[in-house]
Amino acid sequence: MITRDIQLRVRYYETDCMGIVHHSNYIRFYEVARTEMLREFGTTYQEMEQVGVMLPVLDVQAHYISPAYDDDLLTIRVTLAEMPKVKMRFDFEIYRENGDRINTGTVTLAFMNSVTRRACRAPKYFLDLLKPYFPEA
């Protein structure tokens, strides 16, 4: 299991007329966290696309517990619980600066060959980057 914490400050434009973060932005927060996690592994979405693999989203789930507000400093905890195969699932928890958990969610992506547009296994180079975190795999 791999877990990383990514901090993000809520920007004014991410809020609605009540000053509350619009629900759709949590999905963006998830994307920021998983992109940064991939970067920490030593890769990016662009590098995967260059080797002919895309990662479309198959499923997104979000559970809203408490609102976030303009200028809140949020911690997005992202977890990759298992070595990817054809799919890769990220789990998320979002915390306010005071430690209150305000949101949980999951995003499942599929590895897809960019030419055939069919599901494929995770690229070997990507799995090699993850092996130190999943020694049993």
Side-chain angles (χ1 to χ4, degrees):
M1 178 183 311
I2 309 165
T3 300
R4 295 289 185 273
D5 287 349
I6 309 298
Q7 288 198 314
L8 179 139
R9 187 166 300 278
V10 174
R11 280 109 8 177
Y12 177 77
Y13 70 85
E14 294 167 325
T15 62
D16 59 20
C17 64
M18 298 175 285
I20 295 172
V21 171
H22 189 269
H23 65 276
S24 64
N25 286 304
Y26 289 88
I27 309 309
R28 292 173 191 235
F29 297 163
Y30 298 168
E31 185 170 6
V32 168
R34 74 175 183 268
T35 299
E36 290 304 315
M37 179 183 256
L38 290 175
R39 189 177 310 285
E40 284 187 33
F41 295 156
T43 193
T44 62
Y45 282 119
Q46 291 82 5
E47 287 176 10
M48 283 202 209
E49 290 170 2
Q50 289 170 358
V51 298
V53 176
M54 297 187 298
L55 281 165
V57 172
L58 293 179
D59 185 65
V60 175
Q61 308 235 345
H63 178 69
Y64 304 96
I65 300 165
S66 180
Y69 301 94
D70 178 37
D71 206 43
D72 277 354
L73 181 62
L74 304 178
T75 298
I76 302 121
R77 179 163 296 149
V78 55
T79 300
L80 182 62
E82 59 186 36
M83 185 69 111
K85 293 181 176 108
V86 176
K87 296 178 186 176
M88 181 166 51
R89 177 182 152 169
F90 293 92
D91 299 309
F92 300 91
E93 296 176 295
I94 300 180
Y95 295 88
R96 204 178 280 113
E97 194 169 10
N98 67 3
D100 289 347
R101 188 172 68 167
I102 64 169
N103 180 279
T104 61
T106 63
V107 175
T108 303
L109 302 107
F111 291 91
M112 184 172 77
N113 181 295
S114 61
V115 175
T116 65
R117 302 282 174 142
R118 292 181 181 253
C120 64
R121 292 204 170 273
K124 182 183 180 325
Y125 93 91
F126 181 65
L127 296 176
D128 289 344
L129 292 173
L130 298 180
K131 277 186 182 173
Y133 304 100
F134 297 99
E136 70 283 352

